[in-house]
Amino acid sequence: MTVPAVLIGVDIVAADRLARAAARGGATFTRHLTTVAERDLSPGTATFSVKESFIKAVGGRPPGFTWHDFEAVREPPPGWTGELLDEAAAELTAATGLTLTGGAAYTLSGACRDAARLRLAGPVAGAARWGSGDGLLVSLAVVYVHRKDARCP
């Protein structure tokens, strides 16, 4: 399989740390991290870790960054993206012992979309996988050039 240029980010965090932050922040924490449209699609408490992996993929938090720069969406990512995520998730599973069972496609907007476009020519989109166990939350994100008519061999 030939894979187009992609940006990859990984985040590993203590699950209890995120659970405490979510409990402390309540609805404000949720509104800060997620858009209304993605609340039923996102990975719940793992959202912070997933979006952190996207931040790492685009090279950090650019000026103008918001957590809403990444939004989970219903439509699936291209097939080759799933294959790439499967391969990278298998490597993370081997390294951490945790299986990445959750997943979603993401749109990128604002400052993070612009940062990704500087590194990848064209419109960008993303996809993520996540999993938890043994007190850890692991997430993996890929950002790629998104063309509706593009096919990857």
Side-chain angles (χ1 to χ4, degrees):
M1 168 177 77
T2 302
V3 176
V6 297
L7 306 172
I8 297 177
V10 172
D11 189 62
I12 301 173
V13 66
D16 65 336
R17 178 176 160 231
L18 287 182
R20 284 192 310 272
R24 222 177 15 254
T28 302
F29 180 83
T30 300
R31 279 192 310 275
H32 185 68
L33 287 179
T34 61
T35 67
V36 172
E38 78 175 313
R39 291 199 182 121
D40 64 336
L41 301 173
S42 67
T45 304
T47 297
F48 179 84
S49 180
V50 170
K51 291 190 177 189
E52 277 290 326
S53 64
F54 274 113
I55 290 165
K56 291 171 182 173
V58 301
R61 295 179 182 168
F65 159 84
T66 77
W67 292 99
H68 295 184
D69 284 358
F70 310 103
E71 182 177 52
V73 295
R74 289 196 188 282
E75 54 278 348
W80 67 267
T81 306
E83 293 173 23
L84 176 63
L85 279 168
D86 287 345
E87 184 178 322
E91 290 182 25
L92 271 174
T93 296
T96 65
L98 301 178
T99 304
L100 281 64
T101 56
Y106 282 77
T107 60
L108 277 72
S109 61
C112 290
R113 178 197 57 222
D114 296 343
R117 283 182 174 170
L118 286 174
R119 298 174 66 199
L120 299 172
V124 293
R129 294 269 172 85
W130 58 86
S132 63
D134 294 331
L136 295 175
L137 234 159
V138 177
S139 63
L140 164 69
V142 295
V143 175
Y144 56 91
V145 174
H146 180 61
R147 291 189 180 94
K148 293 191 188 288
D149 61 344
R151 297 191 196 282
C152 184

